[in-house]
Amino acid sequence: MVFNFDQLADRKSDNSKKWDREFNEGYFGKLPDEYISMWIADLDYEITPIIHKKIEEIVDKKTYGYIYFYDELFEAIKQWQGNKSDFSLNNEMISLNFGIVSALYVTVQAFCREGDSIIINSPVYNPFRVAAEVNHIGVLENELEVDQEYRYQINFKNLEELIVEHQPKIHILCNPHNPGGRVWSKEELQKIADLCLENNVILVSDEAHADHINQGQFTSALSLDKKYTDNLIVLNSANKGFNFAGLKMGYNIIPNPDINNLFKQQLKKQGILEPNIFGAAALCASYTNEGKEWLEASYDYMVQNYDWASSYLSQEVPELKITPLDSTYLMWLDVSSLGMNGDEVVERLAQEEGILFQPGSSFGQAGINHIRINLGTSKEVVQKSFRKFADWCQKNKR
Ligand SMILES: Cc1ncc(COP(=O)(O)O)c(C=O)c1O
């Protein structure tokens, strides 16, 4: 099937966090009449045809009553995950979430008490931090290091020292990592899992971006040996791959029955009981051959956007440091050579040029010199915005 990713959905009129003017002015300040939004990880494409069809079928029936976590959902998840690891999944291990973010909160509430802490590798997706902070749980940050290719690396010595000294209850790993798109190798995962096991720390693997792998081999934490998967919570959804975050649907996989029971009790306390009828249908439709075809075609298109943007920027503003795109559709750029940090670049670009990028500081202080750019849009939008961005850098660098 041929998909047209040059043609974009109209997002300015749907109360979208990404495109709504009022919402974005609250975040970026006064915007010019014309603006292009490339921040939050939300695609500008129309929904996958197979998902649209399944949702239309429900709409045509005109009934939207309660549903349960039905067999087709379990089967779809087991099959999709079965393509990523040899782990033998059963229905008991799978539970519902209302998007991974909801499950981050549930995890913290289930396994931490006031005075406890969690550990994360920063900069990282901010809800990891917020889920702990709003529950009065401490956050230990193991700062990632960059290698010569501007790829993130884990400082294992530091990670171990922090774990041994502070005994956090859980380690939330972003696998693959957002921002920066790093795909952790099996050896790296194993080292992390070892540290967790030795120190009684539950490993939580957020695999939100696992459907977008450009370079390297994704390893689900479920591929690790049983002793590690017995100490593991995997959080997942199809929201990044298939772009239906607004349907609030995702799932958790927990092999160890004791950990699973505690987690499920907390799900109940949070009232996370039954799926949304549209979210469930969308998840089943995603995890099919037709869904996969769209996923691959859309990601190819986004990788082409990245290839064009990175070669253009390397020519026009060679001082910017571009992180290789191993995973995700989100370019991660170190802008410090412009003589400004990411906050200043983002605020000025938004207000002066109407180009909305995401400040790296929104992933923690460790991201202060970076900006993140969402390439899940048309080639035309990418080229227009990067031309403006490069001109602006040339005029304003100090
Ligand atoms: C690492 C990571 N986890 C979770 C999410 C959100 O997932 P969900 O929409 O399922 O809550 C995102 C969104 O960008 C993300 O980057």
Side-chain angles (χ1 to χ4, degrees):
M1 196 167 171
V2 179
F3 305 103
N4 183 359
F5 300 108
D6 294 327
Q7 186 191 318
L8 301 181
D10 169 22
R11 305 293 312 277
K12 282 197 175 152
S13 56
D14 66 2
N15 298 318
S16 144
K17 272 173 101 167
K18 185 176 182 187
W19 282 101
D20 182 82
R21 172 178 287 278
E22 202 181 318
F23 184 86
N24 280 285
E25 288 192 333
Y27 195 69
F28 293 97
K30 179 92 185 107
L31 299 174
D33 288 349
E34 291 294 321
Y35 59 92
I36 295 175
S37 181
M38 300 173 80
W39 65 282
I40 192 168
D42 185 333
L43 307 175
D44 288 338
Y45 314 128
E46 284 183 352
I47 194 73
T48 323
I50 180 76
I51 299 180
H52 186 63
K53 181 165 165 269
K54 293 290 172 194
I55 286 187
E56 262 186 343
E57 282 171 15
I58 298 171
V59 171
D60 287 347
K61 278 194 199 146
K62 301 184 189 170
T63 58
Y64 309 117
Y66 298 115
I67 60 162
Y68 58 94
F69 207 106
Y70 47 86
D71 270 355
E72 194 191 339
L73 263 173
F74 282 118
E75 292 311 314
I77 292 168
K78 285 191 285 191
Q79 203 192 332
W80 196 257
Q81 289 300 325
N83 294 329
K84 296 192 196 290
S85 84
D86 291 336
F87 184 81
S88 170
L89 253 182
N90 65 48
N91 293 5
E92 265 309 297
M93 297 172 187
I94 300 172
S95 54
L96 171 73
N97 66 46
F98 291 159
I100 291 173
V101 172
S102 70
L104 290 167
Y105 286 70
V106 169
T107 309
V108 168
Q109 289 159 357
F111 301 103
C112 303
R113 297 289 162 265
E114 243 180 278
D116 288 342
S117 59
I118 67 158
I119 185 160
I120 57 178
N121 301 294
S122 56
V124 74
Y125 185 55
N126 204 37
F128 286 19
R129 209 172 271 111
V130 178
E133 285 168 357
V134 296
N135 285 297
H136 310 289
I137 303 301
V139 180
L140 303 167
E141 306 215 11
N142 178 43
E143 205 169 309
L144 293 166
E145 295 178 345
V146 273
D147 64 16
Q148 286 178 334
E149 291 181 312
Y150 309 126
R151 212 177 237 114
Y152 277 132
Q153 302 292 345
I154 292 178
N155 180 335
F156 281 100
K157 187 168 168 287
N158 203 37
L159 181 64
E160 180 166 9
E161 281 170 9
L162 283 170
I163 289 181
V164 170
E165 187 181 343
H166 300 281
Q167 297 289 310
K169 294 289 182 226
I170 55 182
H171 177 122
I172 312 184
L173 178 73
C174 201
N175 177 35
H177 198 82
N178 171 32
R182 179 72 155 74
V183 175
W184 307 114
S185 68
K186 185 152 192 181
E187 291 67 37
E188 287 167 317
L189 272 186
Q190 178 110 17
K191 270 192 186 176
I192 295 167
D194 254 328
L195 275 176
C196 288
L197 197 58
E198 280 164 16
N199 292 284
N200 270 325
V201 180
I202 297 174
L203 177 59
V204 180
S205 181
D206 173 333
E207 303 192 351
H209 292 279
D211 290 327
H212 286 142
I213 305 297
N214 183 33
Q215 300 186 90
Q217 173 72 42
F218 167 69
T219 310
S220 168
L222 289 168
S223 318
L224 298 173
D225 290 348
K226 184 173 182 321
K227 65 176 178 179
Y228 303 116
T229 57
D230 271 347
N231 185 42
L232 176 67
I233 296 175
V234 171
L235 306 180
N236 219 329
S237 71
N239 292 343
K240 293 301 106 184
F242 295 89
N243 209 43
F244 53 84
L247 294 180
K248 296 291 159 208
M249 173 74 197
Y251 56 95
N252 323 296
I253 299 175
I254 308 179
N256 178 325
D258 295 332
I259 299 180
N260 200 15
N261 284 340
L262 286 171
F263 187 92
K264 284 183 175 173
Q265 278 171 27
Q266 192 61 34
L267 281 177
K268 277 195 191 140
K269 285 188 192 160
Q270 286 294 339
I272 300 184
L273 305 171
E274 295 146 357
N276 170 293
I277 191 168
F278 295 111
L283 184 68
C284 289
S286 305
Y287 288 176
T288 56
N289 289 337
E290 291 102 308
K292 188 162 180 263
E293 201 189 339
W294 184 92
L295 176 72
E296 288 171 357
S298 59
Y299 195 46
D300 275 356
Y301 186 96
M302 292 184 261
V303 170
Q304 284 171 34
N305 281 346
Y306 172 86
D307 290 343
W308 182 87
S310 59
S311 91
Y312 178 75
L313 274 190
S314 307
Q315 267 173 14
E316 299 298 317
V317 200
E319 54 272 63
L320 294 176
K321 295 177 190 153
I322 309 172
T323 302
L325 191 79
D326 293 342
S327 168
T328 80
Y329 49 86
L330 307 158
M331 180 182 257
W332 185 239
L333 275 182
D334 180 339
V335 293
S336 54
S337 57
L338 298 176
M340 292 170 250
N341 66 25
D343 289 359
E344 187 181 351
V345 170
V346 166
E347 187 178 298
R348 288 189 52 194
L349 268 174
Q351 294 176 9
E352 294 168 22
E353 302 294 334
I355 304 290
L356 279 49
F357 293 158
Q358 185 151 352
S361 62
S362 62
F363 301 89
Q365 198 51 27
I368 186 75
N369 286 324
H370 286 77
I371 62 174
R372 197 189 73 171
I373 307 175
N374 176 348
L375 299 167
T377 186
S378 68
K379 289 193 172 67
E380 191 188 334
V381 168
V382 169
Q383 294 184 8
K384 188 170 167 192
S385 57
F386 273 74
R387 291 205 163 97
K388 281 190 168 194
F389 174 42
D391 281 354
W392 185 89
C393 292
Q394 283 153 2
K395 280 190 210 123
N396 291 287
K397 68 184 168 199
R398 297 180 180 133

